Amino acid sequence: MLSGLALVAVGATGNIVQAATAKSFFAGTASDNNFVYRKTNFAKIDKRWHRQIVKYFSSEPVGTVVVDTRHHFLYLIMENKTAIRYGVGVGKEGFKWYGRATIDRRALWPQWVPPPEMLKRRPDLPPMIAGGAPDNPLGPRALYLYRDGADIGYRLHGTLEPWSIGTDASSGCIRMFPEDIIDLYQRCPIGTAVEVLPHIADQAPASTTVE
C-alpha cells in the first residue's frame, strides 16, 4: 500500500516538474488581432532556432520558401544571396512529405479541424477547435499548401509547444514559433512557392552552399 502511494506521489511530482519545465518556455503574453497568445521565451531556446538572416545561394526565385526537414530549417529566399532562416518542427517518422506546393490560402487565427486520418488515430480529439482558442494547435496564423489547385492537407503554422521546434514532432505540417509564423505570414502572399526537401544538399546544384 505504501509503495503504491509512493508511486502515485512520484508520478504527481513528475507531472509538476514537466508542467514547470513547459511553463519556462513562455514569457508573458501578447495581443494580436483581439486574441492573446503566450510569447516564446527565446532565452530558453537554442540560438540556432532563432530567426536570422543568413547567406543563401540558390537558383530558386526570391520569395520562395524552402524547408530543409533534416536540419529543421525553413528559408525564405531574399535578395542579394540571403535568406531569412527560421527554426521549425517537422513531421515525425512516417508522416514526412516532400515536394513542391504553393500557398493558396492564408488565415489569421484559423480554426483547426483534425483530418479524418488523425481522428481515427485520436478519437478523443474534438471535431473542431475555434480560432484563437488557447488549445488551438495552429496558433496565430496558418499558410495552407496546395498543388494543382487542390489542398494537400499540410500547413505552415504556429505551435503551442515551442520546445518541439528543431524536432520531428508533427503529423506532417511545419511548425513555427508564434512570433515566426506571424513574421512569415506577412512576407508570403497568395501564390508563394514552397519546396519541402529531405535535405537541401541532396538536391542542390554543386555550386549551391548554405551557411
Side-chain angles (χ1 to χ4, degrees), residues 86-102:
Y86 306 82
V88 297
V90 302
K92 295 177 286 191
E93 191 63 38
F95 293 91
K96 290 183 173 69
W97 67 279
Y98 312 107
R100 291 184 179 270
T102 59

Side-chain angles (χ1 to χ4, degrees), residues 48 76 85 177 199:
R48 82 177 75 176
L76 176 63
R85 190 182 77 185
F177 295 118
H199 171 37

Side-chain angles (χ1 to χ4, degrees), residues 30-38 105-112 129-142 144 158-160 178 181-182 185:
S31 179
D32 172 82
N33 288 271
N34 299 317
F35 291 103
V36 173
Y37 68 93
R38 291 188 292 178
R105 180 186 166 204
R106 309 183 329 143
L108 292 168
W109 292 100
Q111 69 176 16
W112 181 62
I129 298 179
D135 57 344
N136 185 315
L138 299 185
R141 304 287 189 276
Y144 297 77
T159 182
L160 300 175
I181 190 62
I182 290 173
Y185 179 95

Side-chain angles (χ1 to χ4, degrees), residues 12 14-15 22 25-26 31-32 37-38 55 67 90 99 117 121 126 132 144 155 158 165 180 188 190 194 201 203 211:
N15 290 337
F25 280 89
F26 300 101
S31 179
D32 172 82
Y37 68 93
R38 291 188 292 178
K55 283 288 187 183
V67 181
V90 302
E117 298 80 7
R121 297 192 305 271
Y144 297 77
R155 291 87 174 88
I165 300 301
D180 284 356
C188 292
I190 295 295
V194 177
Q203 298 187 23
E211 298 179 2

